[in-house]
Amino acid sequence: MTNATAEMPQRLMLDQAKIDAAASQDLSDGAVTPGYGPWRDDIVKLLNDALATELVCVLRYKRHYFTASGEASPAIADEFLVHANEESAHADKIAERIVQLGGDPDFNPQTLLERSHADYNEAKDLQAMVRANLVAERIAIESYRQMISLIGDKDPTTRRMLEEILTDEEEHADELKDWLGH
């Protein structure tokens, strides 16, 4: 036997016995198999905090949409509304994933700000609104980057969802950056 043959990697093969065992345990858990291990509760907590952040962002963007004034305000306000609707869609995806993981999405308005990574903002000046939203998007970007890193391969479905949301948040930040100084 040559050295090249001895170093031949094993074939990639699934363990059918483990698949069958995982599939038949705790059927009431739906998509959540034992492979999620001890991380499920932590992931649900991370997602509930992200849900709070998205909901606070919806409220901030909506307020800014309705209160923006000035020469440049119609175009910027329209962008605020687009962002509010996209943040709402993010919140829906996150809440749906929490339920898939067997958790309860936390929409409690009394604790939204405590759990949110970003702040609410009542600025009246259009540029202050743009800045506040840009800061919030940058907070969301860093929060999602950290969540993606923490989750890694522990929950690939959640990781992919967060990566998609991160892409949107980066686009929002770029758009807001372009509005600075208008």
Side-chain angles (χ1 to χ4, degrees), residues 153-171:
D153 64 357
K154 295 170 187 74
D155 180 353
T157 302
T158 298
R159 185 190 68 238
R160 279 192 309 276
M161 178 194 69
L162 295 174
E163 289 168 345
E164 290 171 11
I165 293 172
L166 174 60
T167 299
D168 290 345
E169 303 297 7
E170 289 173 341
E171 289 173 10

Side-chain angles (χ1 to χ4, degrees), residues 63-64 67-68 120-130 132:
R63 176 170 172 44
H64 291 172
T67 61
Y120 183 74
N121 178 279
E122 294 183 348
K124 302 241 188 252
D125 173 73
L126 191 60
Q127 282 300 298
M129 290 177 185
V130 172

Side-chain angles (χ1 to χ4, degrees), residues 7-176:
E7 293 177 18
M8 188 93 138
Q10 287 186 315
R11 294 183 48 196
L12 298 177
M13 296 180 64
L14 298 178
D15 183 335
Q16 190 63 45
K18 283 186 179 179
I19 292 170
D20 293 343
S24 61
Q25 282 182 324
D26 299 320
L27 293 178
S28 63
D29 285 344
V32 181
T33 65
Y36 282 87
W39 307 111
R40 184 179 71 167
D41 290 343
D42 290 343
I43 292 170
V44 167
K45 164 83 168 82
L46 289 170
L47 290 175
N48 262 316
D49 291 350
L51 175 61
T53 303
E54 294 292 348
L55 293 171
V56 168
C57 288
V58 168
L59 296 172
R60 186 187 56 258
Y61 273 124
K62 286 277 193 164
R63 176 170 172 44
H64 291 172
Y65 168 72
F66 285 108
T67 61
S69 62
E71 189 177 318
S73 69
I76 294 175
D78 286 346
E79 195 63 31
F80 289 161
L81 182 59
V82 168
H83 288 200
N85 291 334
E86 290 174 352
E87 304 295 357
S88 181
H90 296 163
D92 290 349
K93 284 182 183 178
I94 292 167
E96 181 179 9
R97 184 64 184 151
I98 291 168
V99 170
Q100 286 174 341
L101 291 172
D104 292 316
D106 188 348
F107 285 91
N108 185 340
Q110 291 181 329
T111 61
L112 278 182
L113 281 174
E114 294 168 20
R115 294 180 291 115
S116 173
H117 302 125
D119 293 326
Y120 183 74
N121 178 279
E122 294 183 348
K124 302 241 188 252
D125 173 73
L126 191 60
Q127 282 300 298
M129 290 177 185
V130 172
R131 266 189 244 86
N133 286 308
L134 180 54
V135 166
E137 293 294 353
R138 291 172 55 91
I139 288 169
I141 289 166
E142 184 57 26
S143 298
Y144 284 122
R145 286 177 47 77
Q146 287 186 26
M147 289 171 61
I148 290 163
S149 178
L150 285 169
I151 291 171
D153 64 357
K154 295 170 187 74
D155 180 353
T157 302
T158 298
R159 185 190 68 238
R160 279 192 309 276
M161 178 194 69
L162 295 174
E163 289 168 345
E164 290 171 11
I165 293 172
L166 174 60
T167 299
D168 290 345
E169 303 297 7
E170 289 173 341
E171 289 173 10
H172 293 172
D174 282 344
E175 291 165 355
L176 289 162

